[in-house]
Amino acid sequence: MSDTYYEFGTAADRWSRAQLFFDAKEYRTAIRILRGLVAEHPDQTAQRLLLARAYYHSAQLKPAETELLAVLERDPVEHYARLMLGRTLERQGRAAEAAPHLRLAAAMSGELPS
């Protein structure tokens, strides 16, 4: 399939299309659309988070980590990005690095251990 399909339409059209592919568990196709959107609008957190989730679900953990770090650089209190980063690091076998992110995410959501 030509790359023009992934670039076709307005940003809103492509965002909707990426969400549809993600919901259909077509993560690699969603990634191809989202990469362009993130390049065009790098400050949009929702697009970057969905891209990170698509990378995570397609077992592309290093790119997922990169996107999550970019989100957290802009917004250090983005709870979901913090949680996902912890899970991404855990999945890479980096539990010691994941632990502080997971604790912080739990504290941000009010899920403190008793």
Side-chain angles (χ1 to χ4, degrees), residues 1 9 14 16 27 30 34 39-40 42 51 56-57 79-80 105 109 113-114:
M1 183 178 299
R14 288 177 285 144
S16 294
Y27 303 118
L34 289 163
E40 287 175 33
L51 178 57
Y56 179 87
H57 287 296
H79 161 261
Y80 191 67
S109 69
S114 38

Coordinates of all heavy atoms in Angstrom, one line a residue, residues 1 9 14 16 27 30 34 39-40 42 51 56-57 79-80 105 109 113-114:
M1 N 0.8 -1.2 0.0 CA 0.0 0.0 0.0 C 0.9 1.2 0.0 O 1.9 1.3 0.7 CB -0.9 0.0 1.2 CG -1.9 1.1 1.3 SD -3.0 1.0 2.7 CE -3.8 -0.5 2.5
G9 N -6.0 13.2 3.7 CA -7.0 13.8 4.5 C -6.5 14.8 5.5 O -5.3 15.0 5.6
R14 N -7.2 11.9 9.7 CA -6.1 10.9 9.9 C -6.2 10.4 11.4 O -5.9 9.3 11.7 CB -4.7 11.4 9.6 CG -4.6 11.5 8.0 CD -3.3 12.1 7.6 NE -3.4 13.5 7.8 CZ -2.4 14.3 8.2 NH1 -1.2 13.8 8.4 NH2 -2.6 15.6 8.3
S16 N -8.9 10.2 13.3 CA -10.0 9.3 13.4 C -9.6 8.0 12.8 O -9.9 6.9 13.3 CB -11.2 9.9 12.6 OG -11.7 11.0 13.3
Y27 N -2.3 -2.3 14.9 CA -1.4 -1.4 15.5 C -0.4 -0.8 14.5 O 0.0 0.3 14.6 CB -0.7 -2.0 16.7 CG -1.7 -2.5 17.8 CD1 -1.8 -3.8 18.1 CD2 -2.6 -1.6 18.4 CE1 -2.7 -4.3 19.1 CE2 -3.5 -2.0 19.3 CZ -3.5 -3.4 19.6 OH -4.5 -3.8 20.6
A30 N -1.9 1.8 12.4 CA -2.1 3.0 13.2 C -0.8 3.7 13.4 O -0.8 5.0 13.3 CB -2.7 2.6 14.6
L34 N -0.1 7.6 12.7 CA 0.3 8.5 13.8 C 1.6 9.1 13.7 O 1.8 10.2 14.2 CB 0.1 7.6 15.1 CG -1.3 7.3 15.5 CD1 -1.3 6.2 16.5 CD2 -2.0 8.6 16.0
A39 N 4.6 14.0 13.8 CA 5.7 14.9 13.2 C 5.1 16.2 12.8 O 5.8 17.3 13.0 CB 6.2 14.2 11.9
E40 N 3.8 16.3 12.4 CA 3.2 17.6 12.1 C 2.8 18.4 13.3 O 2.8 19.6 13.3 CB 1.9 17.3 11.3 CG 2.1 16.9 9.9 CD 0.8 16.5 9.2 OE1 -0.2 17.2 9.5 OE2 0.8 15.6 8.4
P42 N 3.9 18.0 17.0 CA 4.6 17.3 18.1 C 4.2 17.6 19.5 O 4.5 16.9 20.4 CB 6.1 17.8 17.8 CG 6.0 19.0 17.0 CD 4.7 18.9 16.2
L51 N 0.3 6.8 19.8 CA 1.4 6.2 19.1 C 2.2 5.3 20.1 O 2.6 4.2 19.7 CB 2.3 7.3 18.5 CG 3.5 6.9 17.8 CD1 3.2 5.9 16.7 CD2 4.3 8.1 17.3
Y56 N 3.7 -0.1 21.9 CA 3.6 -1.1 23.1 C 2.9 -2.3 22.7 O 3.4 -3.4 22.9 CB 3.0 -0.4 24.3 CG 2.9 -1.3 25.5 CD1 4.0 -1.4 26.4 CD2 1.8 -2.1 25.7 CE1 3.9 -2.2 27.5 CE2 1.7 -2.9 26.8 CZ 2.8 -3.0 27.7 OH 2.7 -3.8 28.8
H57 N 1.7 -2.2 22.1 CA 0.9 -3.4 21.8 C 1.5 -4.2 20.6 O 1.2 -5.3 20.4 CB -0.5 -3.0 21.5 CG -1.3 -2.6 22.7 ND1 -1.6 -3.5 23.7 CD2 -1.8 -1.4 23.1 CE1 -2.2 -2.8 24.7 NE2 -2.4 -1.6 24.3
H79 N -0.2 11.3 34.1 CA -0.4 10.1 34.9 C -0.3 8.8 33.9 O 0.5 7.9 34.2 CB -1.7 10.0 35.6 CG -2.1 8.7 36.1 ND1 -3.1 8.0 35.4 CD2 -1.7 7.9 37.0 CE1 -3.2 6.8 36.0 NE2 -2.4 6.7 37.0
Y80 N -1.0 8.8 32.9 CA -1.1 7.6 32.0 C 0.2 7.4 31.3 O 0.7 6.2 31.2 CB -2.2 7.7 31.0 CG -2.5 6.4 30.3 CD1 -3.0 5.3 31.0 CD2 -2.2 6.3 29.0 CE1 -3.2 4.1 30.3 CE2 -2.4 5.1 28.3 CZ -2.9 4.0 29.0 OH -3.1 2.8 28.4
A105 N 3.0 6.9 39.4 CA 1.7 6.8 38.7 C 0.6 6.4 39.7 O -0.5 7.0 39.7 CB 1.8 5.8 37.5
S109 N -2.7 8.7 40.9 CA -4.1 8.2 40.7 C -4.7 8.0 42.1 O -5.9 7.5 42.1 CB -4.1 7.0 39.9 OG -3.5 5.9 40.6
P113 N -0.3 2.4 48.3 CA -0.4 1.1 49.1 C -0.7 1.4 50.6 O -0.3 2.5 51.1 CB 1.0 0.5 49.0 CG 1.9 1.6 48.5 CD 1.0 2.6 47.9
S114 N -1.4 0.5 51.2 CA -1.8 0.7 52.6 C -0.8 0.3 53.6 O 0.2 -0.3 53.3 CB -3.1 0.0 52.9 OG -3.2 -1.3 52.3

